[in-house]
Amino acid sequence: MSARSPVTLETGYERKKFGHGWDDTDGDCQNSRAEALIASSTSRVRFSDPRRCRVASGRWISPFTGQVIQNASDIDIDHVVPLKWAWEHGAKDWSEAKRETFANDMNNLWSVELSLNRQKGAKGPEQWLPPQGQCQYVSRFVRLIKTYNLRPSSNQLQHYKQLLARHC
């Protein structure tokens, strides 16, 4: 995550409005990126430092492709519901604490390929779907927007229902 983010002029979105980056709420030196990697690895992870702060390797199965990834540096942590998308659909009205909680919510963090996370960007399922795992992705997206009371348009909601019917 970049420490600097430009303001999206139309909406006022800035990444920093969701906190300073990956949070370490429990103070164990493992930020939410490391904790997401640890939680989603199908094998014991190895760390790059003696304090066990930074994950170096493990075994992750991408929900977007089914590919096995073993090097942590080949992984991006995807916000299933992108922060900018959330901002534009109600998060701008939240407290800073709620936005930071959302940005670091393990249910909203997925270990995926760098290239696909970059391809997805700030798009929701109405604009982007992964090559595989569409049911899992759209289901999780919808569950998160309901959990956080985000407000997609009626057209977006209808599209999500159609995607769920088609892929699940």
Side-chain angles (χ1 to χ4, degrees):
M1 268 195 254
S2 172
R4 296 177 10 184
S5 64
V7 174
T8 304
L9 296 176
E10 314 84 63
T11 66
Y13 168 77
E14 292 180 87
R15 169 60 182 90
K16 70 182 180 181
K17 291 181 179 178
F18 285 83
H20 59 277
W22 298 120
D23 199 17
D24 179 15
T25 55
D26 58 9
D28 66 354
C29 89
Q30 293 171 352
N31 63 23
S32 52
R33 173 186 162 71
E35 290 181 3
L37 289 169
I38 293 164
S40 61
S41 180
T42 61
S43 69
R44 184 177 298 250
V45 299
R46 287 193 301 279
F47 295 91
S48 62
D49 61 293
R51 288 187 58 216
R52 302 172 55 95
C53 299
R54 204 173 141 242
V55 176
S57 63
R59 185 178 185 274
W60 299 275
I61 301 170
S62 170
F64 288 172
T65 63
Q67 296 293 319
V68 174
I69 306 166
Q70 295 182 326
N71 187 339
S73 65
D74 292 336
I75 291 178
D76 258 3
I77 301 300
D78 174 55
H79 287 97
V80 176
V81 177
L83 304 181
K84 183 176 185 243
W85 191 99
W87 177 265
E88 293 169 351
H89 293 85
K92 67 179 169 250
D93 300 325
W94 297 347
S95 68
E96 188 173 323
K98 184 174 180 178
R99 286 194 296 266
E100 189 162 354
T101 296
F102 176 79
N104 291 282
D105 182 339
M106 288 296 150
N107 293 314
N108 195 26
L109 302 179
W110 257 354
S111 303
V112 302
E113 293 89 344
L114 296 165
S115 61
L116 289 176
N117 189 42
R118 308 281 161 77
Q119 184 185 88
K120 176 187 171 208
K123 300 174 188 113
E126 66 278 6
Q127 295 179 305
W128 185 89
L129 289 173
Q132 293 180 12
Q134 293 94 350
C135 175
Q136 184 181 13
Y137 167 66
V138 177
S139 296
R140 186 174 284 218
F141 187 96
V142 169
R143 187 171 62 247
L144 284 160
I145 64 172
K146 286 180 180 181
T147 298
Y148 283 93
N149 296 312
L150 290 166
R151 301 179 304 267
S153 71
S154 57
N155 286 345
Q156 288 170 316
L157 284 174
Q158 184 60 36
H159 188 72
Y160 303 155
K161 288 178 186 175
Q162 291 169 351
L163 289 171
L164 291 169
R166 183 178 322 136
H167 296 290
C168 296

